[in-house]
Amino acid sequence: MTQHSSQARTALVVVAHHRADSLTAHTARRSADRLEAAGYRVDLLDLHAEGFDPRMNAADQPDWGDREKAYSDEAHAHMRRVLDADVVVAVFPVYWQSVPAILKGWIDRVWNYGFAYGRSKPRLAGKRMLWLGLAGATADDPITEGMRSHLEAGLNEGIAYYCGFAHSAVGLLTDAEERPQRVDAAGNLLVGEAVTGAEREAQYADFDRRAREFVEKFLAAEGVSA
């Protein structure tokens, strides 16, 4: 693991959305700004913009008999970016109570055997992880509690803890859609009226505030002022 001085801490901010004008990309940029204000050098990794291929291939398939396997050049380049980071922040839309395929594929190919796990002393030990998931569900939708629990179990316990991270937190950002939506007991999708004008601006401002609070709480847990 690369050691950094307090003046040279690095945050790897990973964006998993196909549109640069999405609320996800906006939230990633705002989060990067907060991290820079807290003294981090930010490495912004836009998986779609950089053309990352999430599909597993023979070069990056784990070899359980060889934890020193040399993976593809692309995977090794991303591994270096993870190694160089003190904190990793992933920003993504929540799909089916999980991460999008491109983010899952990035983890599959890059957080690989012999690198992120499979060693008595994890190479990622001591790093910290924040997962910011944007959900179309409204804050008062009963589904959100189960969504939060599912994400925390899969991301904090199933991935970050397994890879030796010192701390991992999930921030679930609800109300990400212009039109409120929920599924009723019969499975019908109920979509409300679009929020526009001043009300929409207020919704955006509240969304930004909640995202900022997740980042600041994450930094505060490390004793870093944002």
Side-chain angles (χ1 to χ4, degrees), residues 54-72 75-76 79 105 107-114 117:
R55 296 172 299 178
M56 182 55 75
N57 53 57
D60 294 325
Q61 181 178 346
D63 181 348
W64 307 118
D66 180 14
R67 68 181 184 186
E68 306 298 338
K69 176 180 176 177
Y71 295 108
S72 69
H76 276 291
M79 288 175 183
I107 292 169
D108 289 345
R109 286 187 59 204
V110 177
W111 297 31
N112 215 325
Y113 177 67
Y117 66 96

mmCIF file of all heavy atoms in Angstrom, residues 54-72 75-76 79 105 107-114 117:
data_model
loop_
_atom_site.group_PDB
_atom_site.id
_atom_site.type_symbol
_atom_site.label_atom_id
_atom_site.label_comp_id
_atom_site.label_asym_id
_atom_site.label_seq_id
_atom_site.Cartn_x
_atom_site.Cartn_y
_atom_site.Cartn_z
ATOM 1 N N PRO A 54 -16.829 -3.776 -18.412
ATOM 2 C CA PRO A 54 -17.089 -4.517 -17.176
ATOM 3 C C PRO A 54 -17.149 -6.031 -17.356
ATOM 4 O O PRO A 54 -17.230 -6.764 -16.370
ATOM 5 C CB PRO A 54 -18.456 -3.979 -16.740
ATOM 6 C CG PRO A 54 -19.137 -3.652 -18.035
ATOM 7 C CD PRO A 54 -18.040 -3.124 -18.931
ATOM 8 N N ARG A 55 -17.091 -6.503 -18.578
ATOM 9 C CA ARG A 55 -17.236 -7.938 -18.811
ATOM 10 C C ARG A 55 -15.964 -8.689 -18.418
ATOM 11 O O ARG A 55 -14.857 -8.315 -18.792
ATOM 12 C CB ARG A 55 -17.555 -8.204 -20.285
ATOM 13 C CG ARG A 55 -18.882 -7.626 -20.753
ATOM 14 C CD ARG A 55 -19.043 -7.756 -22.247
ATOM 15 N NE ARG A 55 -18.004 -7.032 -22.968
ATOM 16 C CZ ARG A 55 -17.902 -7.017 -24.295
ATOM 17 N NH1 ARG A 55 -18.753 -7.708 -25.036
ATOM 18 N NH2 ARG A 55 -16.934 -6.327 -24.876
ATOM 19 N N MET A 56 -16.144 -9.772 -17.698
ATOM 20 C CA MET A 56 -15.005 -10.613 -17.334
ATOM 21 C C MET A 56 -14.421 -11.247 -18.586
ATOM 22 O O MET A 56 -15.126 -11.521 -19.561
ATOM 23 C CB MET A 56 -15.440 -11.688 -16.330
ATOM 24 C CG MET A 56 -14.309 -12.586 -15.860
ATOM 25 S SD MET A 56 -12.896 -11.689 -15.154
ATOM 26 C CE MET A 56 -13.572 -11.211 -13.556
ATOM 27 N N ASN A 57 -13.114 -11.443 -18.573
ATOM 28 C CA ASN A 57 -12.433 -12.070 -19.705
ATOM 29 C C ASN A 57 -11.393 -13.044 -19.176
ATOM 30 O O ASN A 57 -11.134 -13.117 -17.969
ATOM 31 C CB ASN A 57 -11.788 -11.000 -20.590
ATOM 32 C CG ASN A 57 -10.887 -10.077 -19.792
ATOM 33 O OD1 ASN A 57 -9.950 -10.522 -19.131
ATOM 34 N ND2 ASN A 57 -11.158 -8.776 -19.840
ATOM 35 N N ALA A 58 -10.768 -13.793 -20.079
ATOM 36 C CA ALA A 58 -9.807 -14.811 -19.665
ATOM 37 C C ALA A 58 -8.599 -14.199 -18.967
ATOM 38 O O ALA A 58 -8.063 -14.773 -18.009
ATOM 39 C CB ALA A 58 -9.358 -15.620 -20.877
ATOM 40 N N ALA A 59 -8.159 -13.021 -19.427
ATOM 41 C CA ALA A 59 -6.976 -12.395 -18.839
ATOM 42 C C ALA A 59 -7.201 -12.005 -17.378
ATOM 43 O O ALA A 59 -6.265 -12.023 -16.576
ATOM 44 C CB ALA A 59 -6.576 -11.164 -19.647
ATOM 45 N N ASP A 60 -8.455 -11.675 -17.026
ATOM 46 C CA ASP A 60 -8.738 -11.215 -15.668
ATOM 47 C C ASP A 60 -9.529 -12.221 -14.845
ATOM 48 O O ASP A 60 -9.969 -11.918 -13.731
ATOM 49 C CB ASP A 60 -9.498 -9.882 -15.724
ATOM 50 C CG ASP A 60 -8.641 -8.766 -16.302
ATOM 51 O OD1 ASP A 60 -7.422 -8.764 -16.042
ATOM 52 O OD2 ASP A 60 -9.179 -7.908 -17.024
ATOM 53 N N GLN A 61 -9.700 -13.403 -15.365
ATOM 54 C CA GLN A 61 -10.362 -14.455 -14.594
ATOM 55 C C GLN A 61 -9.437 -14.909 -13.476
ATOM 56 O O GLN A 61 -8.259 -15.200 -13.712
ATOM 57 C CB GLN A 61 -10.705 -15.639 -15.495
ATOM 58 C CG GLN A 61 -11.422 -16.759 -14.765
ATOM 59 C CD GLN A 61 -11.796 -17.893 -15.703
ATOM 60 O OE1 GLN A 61 -11.748 -17.736 -16.921
ATOM 61 N NE2 GLN A 61 -12.165 -19.029 -15.137
ATOM 62 N N PRO A 62 -9.925 -14.957 -12.239
ATOM 63 C CA PRO A 62 -9.058 -15.373 -11.130
ATOM 64 C C PRO A 62 -8.497 -16.774 -11.333
ATOM 65 O O PRO A 62 -9.172 -17.662 -11.852
ATOM 66 C CB PRO A 62 -10.003 -15.336 -9.916
ATOM 67 C CG PRO A 62 -11.112 -14.422 -10.318
ATOM 68 C CD PRO A 62 -11.287 -14.621 -11.790
ATOM 69 N N ASP A 63 -7.249 -16.943 -10.933
ATOM 70 C CA ASP A 63 -6.599 -18.256 -10.946
ATOM 71 C C ASP A 63 -6.375 -18.613 -9.484
ATOM 72 O O ASP A 63 -5.467 -18.100 -8.833
ATOM 73 C CB ASP A 63 -5.270 -18.180 -11.702
ATOM 74 C CG ASP A 63 -4.560 -19.528 -11.758
ATOM 75 O OD1 ASP A 63 -4.979 -20.461 -11.028
ATOM 76 O OD2 ASP A 63 -3.588 -19.643 -12.520
ATOM 77 N N TRP A 64 -7.225 -19.487 -8.958
ATOM 78 C CA TRP A 64 -7.177 -19.796 -7.520
ATOM 79 C C TRP A 64 -5.881 -20.491 -7.119
ATOM 80 O O TRP A 64 -5.567 -20.580 -5.941
ATOM 81 C CB TRP A 64 -8.387 -20.649 -7.135
ATOM 82 C CG TRP A 64 -9.688 -20.043 -7.558
ATOM 83 C CD1 TRP A 64 -10.599 -20.574 -8.429
ATOM 84 C CD2 TRP A 64 -10.219 -18.780 -7.176
ATOM 85 N NE1 TRP A 64 -11.659 -19.720 -8.607
ATOM 86 C CE2 TRP A 64 -11.450 -18.616 -7.842
ATOM 87 C CE3 TRP A 64 -9.772 -17.751 -6.332
ATOM 88 C CZ2 TRP A 64 -12.242 -17.482 -7.701
ATOM 89 C CZ3 TRP A 64 -10.565 -16.611 -6.178
ATOM 90 C CH2 TRP A 64 -11.786 -16.487 -6.859
ATOM 91 N N GLY A 65 -5.117 -20.963 -8.092
ATOM 92 C CA GLY A 65 -3.840 -21.588 -7.780
ATOM 93 C C GLY A 65 -2.667 -20.634 -7.888
ATOM 94 O O GLY A 65 -1.520 -21.016 -7.617
ATOM 95 N N ASP A 66 -2.939 -19.385 -8.284
ATOM 96 C CA ASP A 66 -1.858 -18.417 -8.487
ATOM 97 C C ASP A 66 -2.343 -17.015 -8.138
ATOM 98 O O ASP A 66 -2.891 -16.310 -8.974
ATOM 99 C CB ASP A 66 -1.375 -18.464 -9.940
ATOM 100 C CG ASP A 66 -0.244 -17.476 -10.217
ATOM 101 O OD1 ASP A 66 0.337 -16.966 -9.232
ATOM 102 O OD2 ASP A 66 0.035 -17.214 -11.400
ATOM 103 N N ARG A 67 -2.115 -16.621 -6.907
ATOM 104 C CA ARG A 67 -2.552 -15.278 -6.509
ATOM 105 C C ARG A 67 -1.617 -14.191 -7.043
ATOM 106 O O ARG A 67 -1.888 -13.008 -6.879
ATOM 107 C CB ARG A 67 -2.664 -15.167 -4.991
ATOM 108 C CG ARG A 67 -1.352 -15.225 -4.248
ATOM 109 C CD ARG A 67 -1.599 -15.135 -2.767
ATOM 110 N NE ARG A 67 -0.347 -15.089 -2.017
ATOM 111 C CZ ARG A 67 -0.284 -15.122 -0.684
ATOM 112 N NH1 ARG A 67 -1.398 -15.224 0.029
ATOM 113 N NH2 ARG A 67 0.880 -15.068 -0.075
ATOM 114 N N GLU A 68 -0.512 -14.582 -7.677
ATOM 115 C CA GLU A 68 0.396 -13.619 -8.297
ATOM 116 C C GLU A 68 0.116 -13.470 -9.797
ATOM 117 O O GLU A 68 0.920 -12.895 -10.524
ATOM 118 C CB GLU A 68 1.853 -14.061 -8.104
ATOM 119 C CG GLU A 68 2.250 -14.328 -6.665
ATOM 120 C CD GLU A 68 2.132 -13.102 -5.775
ATOM 121 O OE1 GLU A 68 2.159 -11.974 -6.311
ATOM 122 O OE2 GLU A 68 2.006 -13.276 -4.548
ATOM 123 N N LYS A 69 -0.999 -13.988 -10.249
ATOM 124 C CA LYS A 69 -1.326 -13.922 -11.677
ATOM 125 C C LYS A 69 -1.238 -12.482 -12.183
ATOM 126 O O LYS A 69 -1.691 -11.550 -11.527
ATOM 127 C CB LYS A 69 -2.736 -14.458 -11.920
ATOM 128 C CG LYS A 69 -3.189 -14.322 -13.370
ATOM 129 C CD LYS A 69 -4.594 -14.860 -13.601
ATOM 130 C CE LYS A 69 -5.038 -14.607 -15.047
ATOM 131 N NZ LYS A 69 -6.373 -15.176 -15.329
ATOM 132 N N ALA A 70 -0.642 -12.308 -13.341
ATOM 133 C CA ALA A 70 -0.560 -10.994 -13.977
ATOM 134 C C ALA A 70 -1.835 -10.766 -14.781
ATOM 135 O O ALA A 70 -2.066 -11.428 -15.800
ATOM 136 C CB ALA A 70 0.661 -10.924 -14.887
ATOM 137 N N TYR A 71 -2.649 -9.860 -14.292
ATOM 138 C CA TYR A 71 -3.910 -9.570 -14.977
ATOM 139 C C TYR A 71 -3.662 -8.626 -16.157
ATOM 140 O O TYR A 71 -2.530 -8.230 -16.435
ATOM 141 C CB TYR A 71 -4.912 -8.994 -13.979
ATOM 142 C CG TYR A 71 -5.316 -9.976 -12.909
ATOM 143 C CD1 TYR A 71 -4.874 -9.831 -11.591
ATOM 144 C CD2 TYR A 71 -6.128 -11.070 -13.215
ATOM 145 C CE1 TYR A 71 -5.239 -10.748 -10.610
ATOM 146 C CE2 TYR A 71 -6.501 -11.993 -12.238
ATOM 147 C CZ TYR A 71 -6.052 -11.825 -10.933
ATOM 148 O OH TYR A 71 -6.408 -12.734 -9.971
ATOM 149 N N SER A 72 -4.721 -8.250 -16.855
ATOM 150 C CA SER A 72 -4.595 -7.408 -18.036
ATOM 151 C C SER A 72 -4.011 -6.034 -17.684
ATOM 152 O O SER A 72 -4.072 -5.583 -16.533
ATOM 153 C CB SER A 72 -5.968 -7.208 -18.692
ATOM 154 O OG SER A 72 -6.803 -6.407 -17.863
ATOM 155 N N ALA A 75 -6.688 -3.782 -16.168
ATOM 156 C CA ALA A 75 -6.981 -4.078 -14.771
ATOM 157 C C ALA A 75 -5.862 -3.575 -13.863
ATOM 158 O O ALA A 75 -6.121 -2.980 -12.803
ATOM 159 C CB ALA A 75 -7.184 -5.580 -14.576
ATOM 160 N N HIS A 76 -4.613 -3.767 -14.268
ATOM 161 C CA HIS A 76 -3.486 -3.318 -13.443
ATOM 162 C C HIS A 76 -3.452 -1.795 -13.320
ATOM 163 O O HIS A 76 -3.096 -1.262 -12.267
ATOM 164 C CB HIS A 76 -2.172 -3.837 -14.029
ATOM 165 C CG HIS A 76 -1.837 -5.230 -13.595
ATOM 166 N ND1 HIS A 76 -1.487 -5.540 -12.301
ATOM 167 C CD2 HIS A 76 -1.830 -6.400 -14.276
ATOM 168 C CE1 HIS A 76 -1.256 -6.838 -12.203
ATOM 169 N NE2 HIS A 76 -1.458 -7.393 -13.387
ATOM 170 N N MET A 79 -5.995 -1.045 -10.761
ATOM 171 C CA MET A 79 -5.506 -1.474 -9.449
ATOM 172 C C MET A 79 -4.580 -0.419 -8.855
ATOM 173 O O MET A 79 -4.632 -0.128 -7.645
ATOM 174 C CB MET A 79 -4.768 -2.815 -9.574
ATOM 175 C CG MET A 79 -5.637 -4.012 -9.834
ATOM 176 S SD MET A 79 -4.647 -5.519 -10.124
ATOM 177 C CE MET A 79 -5.942 -6.717 -10.483
ATOM 178 N N GLY A 105 -18.889 -4.876 -12.552
ATOM 179 C CA GLY A 105 -17.839 -5.438 -13.396
ATOM 180 C C GLY A 105 -16.477 -4.863 -13.077
ATOM 181 O O GLY A 105 -15.457 -5.564 -13.177
ATOM 182 N N ILE A 107 -15.508 -3.925 -10.109
ATOM 183 C CA ILE A 107 -15.086 -4.632 -8.895
ATOM 184 C C ILE A 107 -14.646 -6.059 -9.245
ATOM 185 O O ILE A 107 -13.623 -6.540 -8.755
ATOM 186 C CB ILE A 107 -16.223 -4.622 -7.857
ATOM 187 C CG1 ILE A 107 -16.439 -3.197 -7.344
ATOM 188 C CG2 ILE A 107 -15.907 -5.563 -6.693
ATOM 189 C CD1 ILE A 107 -17.690 -3.009 -6.529
ATOM 190 N N ASP A 108 -15.406 -6.738 -10.101
ATOM 191 C CA ASP A 108 -15.061 -8.111 -10.481
ATOM 192 C C ASP A 108 -13.681 -8.184 -11.127
ATOM 193 O O ASP A 108 -12.881 -9.077 -10.821
ATOM 194 C CB ASP A 108 -16.096 -8.671 -11.463
ATOM 195 C CG ASP A 108 -17.436 -8.951 -10.814
ATOM 196 O OD1 ASP A 108 -17.507 -8.989 -9.577
ATOM 197 O OD2 ASP A 108 -18.425 -9.120 -11.560
ATOM 198 N N ARG A 109 -13.386 -7.279 -12.042
ATOM 199 C CA ARG A 109 -12.135 -7.343 -12.807
ATOM 200 C C ARG A 109 -10.953 -6.720 -12.066
ATOM 201 O O ARG A 109 -9.815 -7.171 -12.219
ATOM 202 C CB ARG A 109 -12.303 -6.643 -14.157
ATOM 203 C CG ARG A 109 -13.126 -7.407 -15.177
ATOM 204 C CD ARG A 109 -13.081 -6.700 -16.535
ATOM 205 N NE ARG A 109 -11.710 -6.586 -17.012
ATOM 206 C CZ ARG A 109 -11.312 -5.663 -17.886
ATOM 207 N NH1 ARG A 109 -12.164 -4.770 -18.356
ATOM 208 N NH2 ARG A 109 -10.044 -5.624 -18.277
ATOM 209 N N VAL A 110 -11.211 -5.667 -11.287
ATOM 210 C CA VAL A 110 -10.115 -4.925 -10.663
ATOM 211 C C VAL A 110 -9.883 -5.360 -9.214
ATOM 212 O O VAL A 110 -8.738 -5.584 -8.797
ATOM 213 C CB VAL A 110 -10.386 -3.404 -10.734
ATOM 214 C CG1 VAL A 110 -9.284 -2.625 -10.025
ATOM 215 C CG2 VAL A 110 -10.501 -2.967 -12.198
ATOM 216 N N TRP A 111 -10.918 -5.521 -8.436
ATOM 217 C CA TRP A 111 -10.764 -5.944 -7.036
ATOM 218 C C TRP A 111 -10.623 -7.470 -7.041
ATOM 219 O O TRP A 111 -11.469 -8.182 -6.510
ATOM 220 C CB TRP A 111 -11.962 -5.508 -6.219
ATOM 221 C CG TRP A 111 -12.159 -4.018 -6.131
ATOM 222 C CD1 TRP A 111 -11.833 -3.087 -7.051
ATOM 223 C CD2 TRP A 111 -12.722 -3.310 -5.044
ATOM 224 N NE1 TRP A 111 -12.171 -1.837 -6.621
ATOM 225 C CE2 TRP A 111 -12.712 -1.938 -5.392
ATOM 226 C CE3 TRP A 111 -13.246 -3.699 -3.801
ATOM 227 C CZ2 TRP A 111 -13.209 -0.949 -4.544
ATOM 228 C CZ3 TRP A 111 -13.751 -2.719 -2.964
ATOM 229 C CH2 TRP A 111 -13.714 -1.368 -3.332
ATOM 230 N N ASN A 112 -9.545 -7.933 -7.620
ATOM 231 C CA ASN A 112 -9.427 -9.328 -7.992
ATOM 232 C C ASN A 112 -8.625 -10.132 -6.975
ATOM 233 O O ASN A 112 -7.980 -9.590 -6.078
ATOM 234 C CB ASN A 112 -8.794 -9.420 -9.382
ATOM 235 C CG ASN A 112 -9.340 -10.564 -10.207
ATOM 236 O OD1 ASN A 112 -9.646 -11.621 -9.673
ATOM 237 N ND2 ASN A 112 -9.465 -10.351 -11.518
ATOM 238 N N TYR A 113 -8.652 -11.451 -7.166
ATOM 239 C CA TYR A 113 -7.937 -12.382 -6.285
ATOM 240 C C TYR A 113 -6.432 -12.106 -6.331
ATOM 241 O O TYR A 113 -5.831 -11.975 -7.391
ATOM 242 C CB TYR A 113 -8.217 -13.825 -6.727
ATOM 243 C CG TYR A 113 -7.476 -14.875 -5.948
ATOM 244 C CD1 TYR A 113 -7.755 -15.088 -4.603
ATOM 245 C CD2 TYR A 113 -6.493 -15.656 -6.551
ATOM 246 C CE1 TYR A 113 -7.070 -16.059 -3.875
ATOM 247 C CE2 TYR A 113 -5.805 -16.634 -5.835
ATOM 248 C CZ TYR A 113 -6.099 -16.822 -4.493
ATOM 249 O OH TYR A 113 -5.422 -17.774 -3.776
ATOM 250 N N GLY A 114 -5.831 -12.034 -5.163
ATOM 251 C CA GLY A 114 -4.414 -11.734 -5.061
ATOM 252 C C GLY A 114 -4.132 -10.254 -4.937
ATOM 253 O O GLY A 114 -3.058 -9.854 -4.497
ATOM 254 N N TYR A 117 -8.198 -9.321 -2.373
ATOM 255 C CA TYR A 117 -8.471 -10.375 -1.374
ATOM 256 C C TYR A 117 -7.599 -11.576 -1.689
ATOM 257 O O TYR A 117 -6.968 -11.652 -2.738
ATOM 258 C CB TYR A 117 -9.954 -10.763 -1.374
ATOM 259 C CG TYR A 117 -10.419 -11.434 -2.647
ATOM 260 C CD1 TYR A 117 -10.486 -12.825 -2.743
ATOM 261 C CD2 TYR A 117 -10.787 -10.672 -3.757
ATOM 262 C CE1 TYR A 117 -10.907 -13.442 -3.907
ATOM 263 C CE2 TYR A 117 -11.202 -11.285 -4.929
ATOM 264 C CZ TYR A 117 -11.267 -12.657 -4.998
ATOM 265 O OH TYR A 117 -11.680 -13.269 -6.154
#
